[in-house]
Amino acid sequence: MHPTTLRTSVSVLLTVAISNLALVGCASTQHAGPAPASAPTGIAKGTALEELKSGNARFVQGTSTAHTWQSERVAKTGTFGQTPSVGVLSCADSRVPVEMVFDQGVGELFVVRVAGNSESNTAAGTFEYGVAALGVHTILVLGHTKCGAVDAAVAGKPLPGNMGSFTEVITPALKGKKFDNLTAAAEANVRWQSEQLLKRSEILRTAHEKGDLTMLRGIYDVETGVVRFID
Ligand SMILES: [Zn+2]
């Protein structure tokens, strides 16, 4: 392709992408309207930790409520767009179903799940979109007990196929440290991935420095269902 043609194509693509972002933001903020009392939308800025804790308490106690208003929320978000408020970087482990664990509904959490809850260009880009275009004001990096990916990184043995790709990004989190147990290693990984996400992304870092983005870290206990938030 001729360089001029290439530049024109890139320019058109960027224009389309930015107008799409604007449209998404527009649809979400102008037409969302007040939430029905039975279908609350959006965790208010500054209250994410408290809301996630109380949602997790409902999950643990068996008193979850999100399922009672999901169909209303599906209709609302399907028509008017999404306005998630909390991004979550979690492990792919099937024992950590993020919305259930925090008793949250459709359209609430902006979740990236990958083995070992490890950050990457794709994860950073996803959260940048959440922050810049959708109104995400908090990101939680959520690890868990008995994490196979962290265990594999601790073991340090080569893995077949593409599986080494996740241990590769967990290994630096564990380097030079000794851990009494796997949960301590999972905590170190959560802290590391949280730091690296901000290092990688200027958009997220700037939002964090300006106080527009809160970073949270937690460990989910696969035996009790309890999320323990950590520094
Ligand atoms: Zn895991």
Side-chain angles (χ1 to χ4, degrees):
M1 189 184 286
H2 189 275
T4 312
T5 317
L6 179 63
R7 271 200 303 277
T8 310
S9 305
V10 169
S11 165
V12 167
L13 278 175
L14 280 174
T15 309
V16 169
I18 289 165
S19 28
N20 282 344
L21 278 177
L23 277 174
V24 170
C26 221
S28 302
T29 50
Q30 286 187 354
H31 305 292
S38 57
T41 56
I43 294 173
K45 194 167 181 295
T47 66
L49 179 59
E50 187 188 321
E51 288 293 329
L52 293 173
K53 277 183 177 174
S54 58
N56 181 236
R58 292 193 297 277
F59 169 70
V60 171
Q61 291 155 11
T63 57
S64 294
T65 59
H67 62 283
T68 62
W69 43 266
Q70 291 294 29
S71 55
E72 223 171 334
R73 183 63 79 80
V74 169
K76 187 180 169 76
T77 55
T79 304
F80 299 112
Q82 57 168 334
T83 54
S85 45
V86 178
V88 184
L89 175 57
S90 171
C91 186
D93 194 303
S94 63
R95 296 168 293 181
V96 196
V98 180
E99 279 85 355
M100 285 175 72
V101 161
F102 292 111
D103 189 26
Q104 295 298 315
V106 167
E108 191 59 79
L109 303 180
F110 200 60
V111 183
V112 172
R113 290 181 68 173
V114 64
N117 42 273
S118 49
E119 63 90 36
S120 61
N121 274 340
T122 311
T126 304
F127 289 129
E128 285 174 2
Y129 175 69
V131 168
L134 302 179
V136 167
H137 55 64
T138 301
I139 293 175
L140 165 66
V141 179
L142 182 65
H144 67 98
T145 61
K146 299 189 175 180
C147 182
V150 173
D151 198 13
V154 169
K157 291 178 186 159
L159 295 174
N162 290 293
M163 285 183 266
S165 61
F166 57 77
T167 51
E168 241 171 58
V169 287
I170 297 171
T171 302
L174 314 177
K175 202 177 169 189
K177 297 171 190 156
K178 289 244 185 287
F179 301 102
D180 293 337
N181 52 59
L182 192 56
T183 303
E187 284 183 24
N189 184 47
V190 161
R191 291 192 182 94
W192 172 265
Q193 301 302 337
S194 167
E195 285 164 15
Q196 295 307 306
L197 190 61
L198 292 184
K199 273 191 187 165
R200 184 188 293 278
S201 165
E202 190 180 352
I203 291 177
L204 299 181
R205 195 168 60 248
T206 304
H208 186 244
E209 284 165 3
K210 283 170 66 183
D212 294 336
L213 176 66
T214 302
M215 296 297 291
L216 297 176
R217 289 160 288 277
I219 295 287
Y220 175 78
D221 187 324
V222 297
E223 291 173 277
T224 64
V226 173
V227 173
R228 179 170 51 86
F229 288 87
I230 60 175
D231 292 335

